[in-house]
Structures are given as C-alpha cells and as structure tokens.
Amino acid sequence: MGGRRLTFSDSGSFRCNICGTECVQPGTPQGREIPGCLTCGSTVRLRSLIALLSREIFGVELAIPDFPVLKGMRGIGMSDPDALAERLAEKFDYTNTFYHQEPRLDIVHPEPDQLGRYDFILSSEVLEHVPPPAERAFANLNRMLKPDGLLLLTVPYRINGQTEEHFPELHEYALAAPGGRTVLVNRRRDGSLEVFENLSFHGGDGSTLEMRVFTEPSLKEILAGAGFGEVHIASEDVPEFGVRHSETWSLPIAGRKGCFRPPSAEIAKAYGHAVRKSSSLARDLEFHQRAHQEAERALAERLADLEARTQWARKMEAELEERTQWALALKQEKDTALADFGRGVAEAENARRHIQALEKDLAEARAARARIESSLWTRAGRKLGAF
C-alpha cells in the first residue's frame, strides 16, 4: 500500500482506552494489528476506533471505563472482540453481531426491525468481506441508523485509485477445495463459470474471504452516495491511549448521518477534565502505593540482610575466639616444648662434661696403672738379674 510513513522517537507508557490498563509504550509506532495491551490485547486499530467513537459522542477522548452510562443510546457492533463488546455493553444499549457466525447480522439483507434503530454502528474490518456491490452494504448501514446517527468503521484501504473488486461478476458462488487448495467457483449472470485461485482470507479459510481492497477516494464516494453528509478520517494520534499511527492509510472513519453533534463543548471539556483528573489521581495513588510497598519490601530485605550479616559476624566472632584460644594453647605448647628442649640441651651438655671428666679420670687411672705395672716390671727384672 502507498503513502508516507511517519516516524516517532518518544516512548513511555499509555493507558489502554478499552480496558484501562497501564501499558508500555514502544519506542516506535507498531502496526495497526499488533496487540499492545497485555490485558485485553487491543491493537492500534481498535484503540484509535474507540478514541474516534468517544470524540464523536462526547467531544473528548475518554477511555471506556470513564464513559458515562448512557443506556438510552443504542449501538450495534459488527465482529467486535469480546473484550470490547462487553465493555461497551456496560455503558450503552449495545449489541455485538458477526457477519459469518451467530449472532449474525446480514448487512446485505437486514431485517425490517433493524432499520432506523441505532444511534451508532461500529464496523471493524467487515465491509471488505461483503459480496458486491459494496455500495449496498453501506446504504443499509445508513438505513439502520437513526436520522442523526453515526457510522464508525475500519477497513483496509489504499491511499489512491479506485476500489479493486476481486470478483466483480460475483453471482452464484461457492468455495471448493480440490486437491486441498481452496478456490472460488462463480456462475455469472450470463451462465458462464469462472474459477478464482490465490484467495485471501482474514483470520483463516471460511466466510472471511476478502472481496475487495478499498481506496480512500472510493470510500468517501461510497459513504457520500450512501447518505452520509460528513465523513471524517481519524488521522490524529492520541499518545495517551497508545494511538500512534505508523501509516497514513487504513485509518478509522466516521460517517455522520443528519446533524449528529457531540454535547456542548464546555460540558464535554469539563467532564473530560474531571475524568482525567480523577484518573490521574487514581494513577498517582496507585503509584505511591506501589512505591510504599516497594519501600516496605526493600526495608524488609535490608533488615533480613542485616540480621544475616549480624549472625555471620557473631559466627565469625565465635570462630575468632576459638582460633584465639587455639593459638594461645599452641603458643603455650610451643613455650613448654622450647623449655623442655632447653633443659634437654643443658642436661646433654652436663652429661657431655661428666663423660669428659670420666674419660679424663679413666685416662689418668690407666696412666697410673701403666706406671705401676712398669715399676713392677722393672723391679722384677732387676731382681732376676741379681741372681
């Protein structure tokens, strides 16, 4: 699809305007079909459509949880997600329907009791699937609205050119799957048969067959031809609700029938300010409560850490005392051993000296003995010589 691509640099958080959840805002815009809310799964397409609904009805962008309850205002949805339909039903007299399953709305042949009944109609990604001519479905949507009703819709469309009908001569047709490949078989009004391959389905094979691709100029022409006097394409970003368009095509569209106008600008502005202030205060309170809980949790963690460190210090102190006593005992054993060693050395020295003295005495005794023996030997020899 053509058209210029927008770029953004800011990031942060946003509030989902369908369920009210605070969500993380990505740094760059996401595609229109990428879920951005973890609670309800809302996409940019749905959030921008609801922002448009709020602006058209109340004159200011509000989240559905902040809508006033207006059960006197009747609306009908076409293929809404449950999360969206249930919340709108809490605020309005609102019914959700489907094109291809129950509860079913046949927009090609609406029941008579559906005509002139609704204050607003929400149609999201439906009109590209209705059989041709598409103008008939748009005209029926206008007929279903009250004289001052609103049509709010999304469809995939290109910026330029005219609507591309995939099956312009569709008359009597059916889907078939020869060989496991789905094809469309059509009998034209002149009786000839044609077979179409390479079909495009939205959400899987079945009744969600894509019949056409709209363009912006053709949509404006079709809406005007169906009786919608004013048409507005919602290209505005609403960052507080996570609505940041990454493209300039396939945007939500409002078709106004008659003279529908939002309430007084002053009332809408005052209500919007009150709701926003209430929401802001609630968010601030929630933030401070979370901060308080975080502080208490951090304090508890620090106290637990301090207690663990105190126990560790006590354990280290006990181990140090034990090691100190062990060191003192070891020193005493060392001193005793050194003293014993000293005494042993002294005793060994005394023994050595005693041995030396004994050896000296022995040597002297041996010398004395030798002198005596020598003396005796000399005397004996002299006596023998005398004879």
Side-chain angles (χ1 to χ4, degrees):
M1 294 185 180
R4 64 185 181 88
R5 187 174 185 83
L6 308 178
T7 59
F8 302 82
S9 59
D10 56 308
S11 60
S13 64
F14 69 88
R15 185 184 183 212
C16 175
N17 60 342
I18 293 177
C19 67
T21 299
E22 291 293 326
C23 306
V24 175
Q25 179 78 276
T28 57
Q30 304 296 293
R32 67 196 289 266
E33 297 299 334
I34 296 176
C37 176
L38 296 179
T39 300
C40 70
S42 66
T43 61
V44 170
R45 170 172 61 84
L46 286 176
R47 292 196 299 274
S48 61
L49 184 63
I50 294 307
L52 177 60
L53 170 67
S54 176
R55 187 163 57 246
E56 290 292 321
I57 294 179
F58 304 115
V60 65
E61 290 96 353
L62 301 173
I64 293 178
D66 300 327
F67 283 12
V69 177
L70 298 174
K71 290 296 185 179
M73 180 170 284
R74 181 175 294 156
I76 187 170
M78 300 169 66
S79 301
D80 294 342
D82 291 341
L84 174 59
E86 291 169 1
R87 288 172 171 84
L88 288 175
E90 294 173 357
K91 302 296 182 176
F92 305 106
D93 178 3
Y94 190 80
T95 304
N96 186 33
T97 63
F98 298 93
Y99 175 69
H100 63 291
Q101 67 183 49
E102 295 297 334
R104 188 171 184 268
L105 170 64
D106 185 357
I107 194 61
V108 177
H109 304 99
E111 297 295 332
D113 62 355
Q114 298 279 21
L115 305 182
R117 178 178 176 83
Y118 300 102
D119 294 289
F120 68 93
I121 297 174
L122 216 59
S123 174
S124 187
E125 311 294 276
V126 173
L127 294 169
E128 68 270 29
H129 301 295
V130 299
E135 290 80 359
R136 177 174 52 188
F138 281 86
N140 286 337
L141 288 171
N142 185 279
R143 293 170 62 207
M144 291 172 60
L145 288 169
K146 293 179 180 179
D148 296 326
L150 280 170
L151 170 64
L152 301 114
L153 66 97
T154 66
V155 291
Y157 66 80
R158 300 190 180 103
I159 292 294
N160 300 311
Q162 293 297 313
T163 296
E164 177 188 339
E165 289 286 348
H166 298 327
F167 319 106
E169 299 294 330
L170 202 64
H171 178 49
E172 295 178 351
Y173 65 95
L175 296 174
R181 185 176 183 181
T182 303
V183 298
L184 184 145
V185 180
N186 178 49
R187 183 185 299 278
R188 299 167 57 164
R189 284 181 170 79
D190 62 7
S192 61
L193 292 176
E194 53 186 355
V195 177
F196 296 90
E197 300 179 341
N198 301 319
L199 307 179
S200 176
F201 292 92
H202 296 180
D205 291 359
S207 300
T208 54
L209 174 65
E210 181 185 276
M211 295 284 184
R212 66 191 55 79
V213 177
F214 291 103
T215 65
E216 184 175 307
S218 63
L219 277 170
K220 291 178 178 178
E221 292 176 5
I222 293 172
L223 286 164
F228 293 96
E230 296 182 38
V231 175
H232 171 67
I233 296 179
S235 60
E236 306 87 355
D237 288 332
V238 190
E240 63 183 296
F241 293 145
V243 177
R244 301 193 303 168
H245 298 294
S246 59
E247 57 274 315
T248 57
W249 57 89
S250 302
L251 301 172
I253 299 174
R256 304 182 183 112
K257 177 183 178 181
C259 299
F260 184 89
R261 290 294 181 271
S264 166
E266 292 78 10
I267 296 175
K269 185 176 181 180
Y271 180 77
H273 284 327
V275 168
R276 292 169 194 267
K277 183 173 181 61
S278 174
S279 299
S280 176
L281 291 174
R283 288 195 295 271
D284 288 345
L285 176 60
E286 183 180 358
F287 172 78
H288 288 299
Q289 287 175 337
R290 286 200 301 267
H292 178 66
Q293 292 172 353
E294 287 292 331
E296 287 187 334
R297 184 161 49 250
L299 178 60
E301 290 176 355
R302 289 182 181 179
L303 288 175
D305 182 63
L306 179 60
E307 177 63 22
R309 289 176 179 270
T310 300
Q311 294 296 330
W312 177 82
R314 289 173 180 169
K315 181 180 179 181
M316 291 298 101
E317 184 179 8
E319 290 184 1
L320 179 60
E321 177 64 22
E322 182 180 347
R323 289 174 180 269
T324 301
Q325 294 299 327
W326 174 79
L328 290 174
L330 185 62
K331 182 177 182 301
Q332 185 176 2
E333 290 180 4
K334 176 184 176 183
D335 292 343
T336 301
L338 288 174
D340 290 343
F341 178 76
R343 285 193 296 272
V345 170
E347 291 176 357
E349 180 63 22
N350 290 334
R352 186 182 64 79
R353 290 176 182 174
H354 184 66
I355 290 170
Q356 288 177 346
L358 290 175
E359 287 178 345
K360 183 179 179 181
D361 290 346
L362 179 61
E364 290 177 353
R366 285 176 177 172
R369 177 183 174 185
R371 286 195 299 270
I372 293 172
E373 288 179 349
S374 176
S375 173
L376 290 174
W377 176 256
T378 300
R379 290 176 183 175
R382 287 177 179 174
K383 288 178 178 182
L384 290 172
F387 290 102

